[in-house]
Amino acid sequence: GRTEAAAAAYRAAVARWPESLGARIGLANAQYAGGDLDGAEQSLRAAIVAHPNAAVAWNNLAHLLGERGRNAAALAAARRAVAIGGPDVAVYEQTVAELQSR
């Protein structure tokens, strides 16, 4: 319920540790929870620039883009997460399946 406070804390963390994937994902999640979808998208894109092989950031971006009706871009992001793989690849594959069913 304190999404603005969380976002402010994560902004401070990103300023202090700009290469921190966790801080960038945390900021995006707080922005999303607070309804700041533009900010969440910007934060996820910044996370991807800093960490291009962060499948979780690609997957989160896919969900956000899908919610915003940008299905082609969402599917591309989800497929990128699957291509990167990792221990959560089944989650990323589910994102692809969900987007394809729209």
Side-chain angles (χ1 to χ4, degrees), residues 2 10 31 33-35 38 44 47 49-50 56 60 64 69 86 88 99-100:
R2 298 185 55 200
Y10 281 117
Q31 290 167 316
D38 289 336
L44 288 170
V49 168
V56 66
N60 286 6
L64 179 63
D88 293 324
L99 290 167
Q100 287 176 326

Side-chain angles (χ1 to χ4, degrees), residues 2-14 23 26-32 34 36:
R2 298 185 55 200
T3 57
E4 190 51 46
Y10 281 117
R11 273 196 228 31
V14 168
L27 175 57
N29 289 345
Q31 290 167 316
Y32 176 85
D36 180 7

Side-chain angles (χ1 to χ4, degrees), residues 36-47:
D36 180 7
L37 301 185
D38 289 336
E41 182 176 342
Q42 290 172 358
S43 293
L44 288 170
R45 290 189 182 282

Side-chain angles (χ1 to χ4, degrees), residues 16-94:
R16 174 101 164 101
W17 301 286
E19 294 303 313
S20 171
L21 177 61
R24 290 186 179 279
I25 296 289
L27 175 57
N29 289 345
Q31 290 167 316
Y32 176 85
D36 180 7
L37 301 185
D38 289 336
E41 182 176 342
Q42 290 172 358
S43 293
L44 288 170
R45 290 189 182 282
I48 288 166
V49 168
H51 301 274
N53 291 316
V56 66
W58 285 103
N59 192 66
N60 286 6
L61 180 62
H63 279 285
L64 179 63
L65 292 173
E67 286 183 26
R68 300 186 94 183
R70 294 164 52 197
N71 292 333
L75 191 54
R79 286 183 174 145
R80 179 72 179 124
V82 170
I84 294 167
D88 293 324
V89 71
V91 173
Y92 311 145
E93 290 169 343
Q94 181 62 37

